Amino acid sequence: MTGTLKTVAPTLQVGSARMPQSADGRLHAASALAVLGLTQASEWARHDWESPHWAAFEHAHQLSRLLSDFGAGPEPTLSVGEFVALAARTDTAPARRIQRRMEQNYARALSGDIHLAAEIAERNAEPLARSWLHARLESQDARRSLMSAAARHGGHGPVFGQLGSVSNRSVLGKDSATLRRERGVKQTRDGLVTDELRRLSYLDAATAAALDSAQVQGNEAILELHRRVAERERATWAGGLERAG
Amino acid sequence: MTGTLKTVAPTLQVGSARMPQSADGRLHAASALAVLGLTQASEWARHDWESPHWAAFEHAHQLSRLLSDFGAGPEPTLSVGEFVALAARTDTAPARRIQRRMEQNYARALSGDIHLAAEIAERNAEPLARSWLHARLESQDARRSLMSAAARHGGHGPVFGQLGSVSNRSVLGKDSATLRRERGVKQTRDGLVTDELRRLSYLDAATAAALDSAQVQGNEAILELHRRVAERERATWAGGLERAG
């Protein structure tokens, strides 16, 4: 294969600069330092990384010495986090441009800029990452639909939190706080795999549909219906697993 | 409605802090400055924004004086961009925490962190934004499938760029450079609306499917097939518009 389809070595693009990246995502230090306008340090990283100058530079910037082979033997690398931290603390013209980019990026992230969300998702080469993103956004939509349906059927106050707890406990087998602790995430949804998100969407949507076709009114009746739907969903999922096993 | 469904005034969350936001997305300056630990300026913004102190602060930080009513009469506001720029230049403990957040955010964005993409998309309250995000990611996948199909059928070199040009010109009625200029975007896909992205996905997928079921081999034959599919797609779309009109 030729043209746009040839396999290229991974690079990280920042503005118009491209830096070679190792298979585990670390940057070629000499290239990254050159992008920041740190010419002297870039030279050390390329030719003289066993010198005391480079050791002092590493120490001053708290860099981890992890070497990687980009085709010319082992060379120093920077994590993307180290590169960004260094860019934030460097006072050269190219580093200041990256600082402005960083600020714009943060302002766009805070504002929920959907173009930025798309750019970030497109940078992710993992084929399953998109399915996960879709499933996560779907699950948020389904949760909202469930809450609206509950409100239309006279749900109020605590029922909104309780519906979510029933869903989470039914699909995940534990409460959200336990899950966050076990999986080391700050937000529950960051810790869920695609199938868990799909099950949550399905369950929340199924109860929302059932509410709209049933004569159900008030917190107790809504929760009771949701618990029944949750029980059936668990049976469906488990039954599929048994037949597959 | 009560509980989680009540309509709340919009706020912007940064870490654990929440700042009131006007309908057009500007931050309540007194709250935002307090979040940055700029207590004195926050007091001026709240009680004394017609004073020379506040005017000097605005001038020093190049803030635009746009007032908004958050319930207590007109008060100064900051754009999210002004808030972030101020955070980057402020040397207080809370501003330094925001600076670290900003760096982490940028490192995650550069790395294509799909959780960050999801968080940003979830911050977007616009119902059509998600359809757009899905359509954009789909269109990238469909384009890739078309390129792979072309490669399987002996396509090489210039054909990859040409296939994309045929798609863009057929759906958009102009080349990408013209579109970027007219719509004021840096990347073509940022300038496309959901229906244009859907048409591109459909067209690219239709040619990929046709390639795999046809005895087509080599650049010329591939492009010829793609042009025919593109022509039919335009006729389909235009026909639908006529019947609807």
Side-chain angles (χ1 to χ4, degrees):
Chain A
M1 284 193 285
T2 55
T4 58
L5 275 185
K6 69 183 166 201
T7 305
V8 290
T11 56
L12 184 75
Q13 184 162 5
V14 175
S16 56
R18 279 187 177 279
M19 294 164 273
Q21 224 173 354
S22 66
D24 60 347
R26 295 182 64 89
L27 302 169
H28 181 246
S31 306
L33 294 166
V35 165
L36 296 180
L38 294 170
T39 320
Q40 177 70 83
S42 168
E43 283 301 306
W44 293 337
R46 193 177 300 275
H47 301 295
D48 214 14
W49 58 268
E50 290 176 290
S51 70
H53 326 297
W54 176 252
F57 184 85
E58 275 183 341
H59 182 73
H61 297 286
Q62 301 176 316
L63 307 178
S64 49
R65 177 169 294 192
L66 283 171
L67 305 175
S68 193
D69 189 339
F70 293 85
E75 289 186 90
T77 60
L78 300 181
S79 71
V80 175
E82 287 171 341
F83 169 76
V84 168
L86 204 51
R89 279 151 199 72
T90 297
D91 195 26
T92 60
R96 284 194 296 272
R97 277 197 295 276
I98 293 176
Q99 289 159 18
R100 279 197 296 277
R101 256 174 211 288
M102 199 180 308
E103 290 172 26
Q104 283 159 6
N105 190 275
Y106 194 54
R108 291 173 72 193
L110 290 177
S111 309
D113 182 329
I114 202 76
H115 290 183
L116 178 61
E119 271 173 44
I120 296 170
E122 287 178 0
R123 275 178 185 262
N124 192 308
E126 168 64 56
L128 294 178
R130 297 206 183 166
S131 314
W132 183 87
L133 176 63
H134 289 262
R136 166 152 157 172
L137 296 176
E138 282 291 314
S139 76
Q140 198 196 28
D141 285 344
R143 181 64 52 95
R144 277 207 199 110
S145 304
L146 172 59
M147 297 306 165
S148 302
R152 282 196 303 278
H153 289 267
H156 57 88
V159 79
F160 301 110
Q162 287 163 344
L163 284 168
S165 298
V166 168
S167 295
N168 292 353
R169 185 174 274 284
S170 176
V171 168
L172 312 172
K174 58 195 71 165
D175 64 55
S176 306
T178 307
L179 182 124
R180 285 194 295 272
R181 200 176 54 246
E182 286 180 2
R183 302 194 183 175
V185 292
K186 279 192 198 160
Q187 288 192 51
T188 306
R189 281 168 194 212
D190 280 342
L192 305 186
V193 300
T194 305
D195 268 348
E196 290 167 340
L197 291 164
R198 284 184 182 130
R199 288 183 65 192
L200 286 170
S201 301
Y202 176 90
L203 168 56
D204 289 355
T207 297
L211 276 172
D212 283 344
S213 67
Q215 301 292 343
V216 163
Q217 200 66 20
N219 287 3
E220 273 319 300
I222 292 168
L223 277 172
E224 174 55 30
L225 177 63
H226 189 45
R227 286 199 195 94
R228 280 209 312 276
V229 175
E231 197 175 317
R232 281 201 297 267
E233 187 281 331
R234 280 199 311 277
T236 303
W237 191 263
L241 291 182
E242 277 158 24
R243 274 192 294 278
Chain B
M1 285 194 285
T2 54
T4 59
L5 276 184
K6 68 184 167 198
T7 304
V8 290
T11 56
L12 184 74
Q13 185 163 6
V14 176
S16 56
R18 280 187 176 278
M19 294 165 275
Q21 224 173 354
S22 67
D24 60 347
R26 295 182 63 89
L27 301 170
H28 181 247
S31 305
L33 295 166
V35 165
L36 296 179
L38 294 169
T39 319
Q40 177 72 81
S42 168
E43 283 300 306
W44 294 336
R46 192 179 300 274
H47 300 296
D48 214 14
W49 58 267
E50 291 177 289
S51 70
H53 327 295
W54 177 252
F57 184 85
E58 276 183 340
H59 183 74
H61 297 287
Q62 302 177 313
L63 306 179
S64 50
R65 177 168 295 192
L66 283 170
L67 305 175
S68 194
D69 191 337
F70 293 84
E75 290 186 88
T77 60
L78 301 181
S79 71
V80 175
E82 287 171 341
F83 169 76
V84 168
L86 204 51
R89 281 152 199 69
T90 298
D91 195 24
T92 60
R96 284 193 297 272
R97 276 196 295 277
I98 294 175
Q99 289 159 20
R100 279 197 297 277
R101 257 173 209 289
M102 198 181 308
E103 291 173 26
Q104 282 158 8
N105 188 276
Y106 194 53
R108 292 174 71 193
L110 291 177
S111 309
D113 183 328
I114 202 77
H115 291 181
L116 178 62
E119 270 173 43
I120 296 170
E122 287 178 0
R123 274 179 185 262
N124 192 308
E126 169 63 56
L128 293 178
R130 297 206 182 167
S131 314
W132 183 87
L133 176 63
H134 288 263
R136 166 152 158 175
L137 296 176
E138 281 290 314
S139 76
Q140 198 197 28
D141 285 343
R143 182 63 51 94
R144 279 207 198 111
S145 303
L146 172 59
M147 298 306 165
S148 302
R152 281 196 302 278
H153 289 266
H156 57 88
V159 78
F160 301 110
Q162 288 164 344
L163 284 168
S165 299
V166 168
S167 295
N168 291 352
R169 186 174 272 287
S170 176
V171 167
L172 311 171
K174 58 196 70 167
D175 65 54
S176 306
T178 307
L179 181 125
R180 285 194 295 272
R181 200 177 54 247
E182 286 180 2
R183 301 194 184 176
V185 291
K186 280 190 197 161
Q187 288 192 52
T188 307
R189 282 169 194 213
D190 279 342
L192 304 186
V193 300
T194 305
D195 267 349
E196 290 167 339
L197 291 164
R198 283 183 183 132
R199 288 182 65 193
L200 287 171
S201 301
Y202 176 90
L203 168 55
D204 289 355
T207 298
L211 277 172
D212 283 343
S213 68
Q215 301 292 342
V216 163
Q217 199 68 18
N219 286 3
E220 274 318 300
I222 292 169
L223 277 171
E224 175 54 31
L225 176 64
H226 188 46
R227 286 199 194 92
R228 281 210 311 276
V229 175
E231 199 175 313
R232 280 201 299 267
E233 187 281 331
R234 282 200 308 279
T236 303
W237 191 264
L241 290 182
E242 277 158 23
R243 274 192 295 277

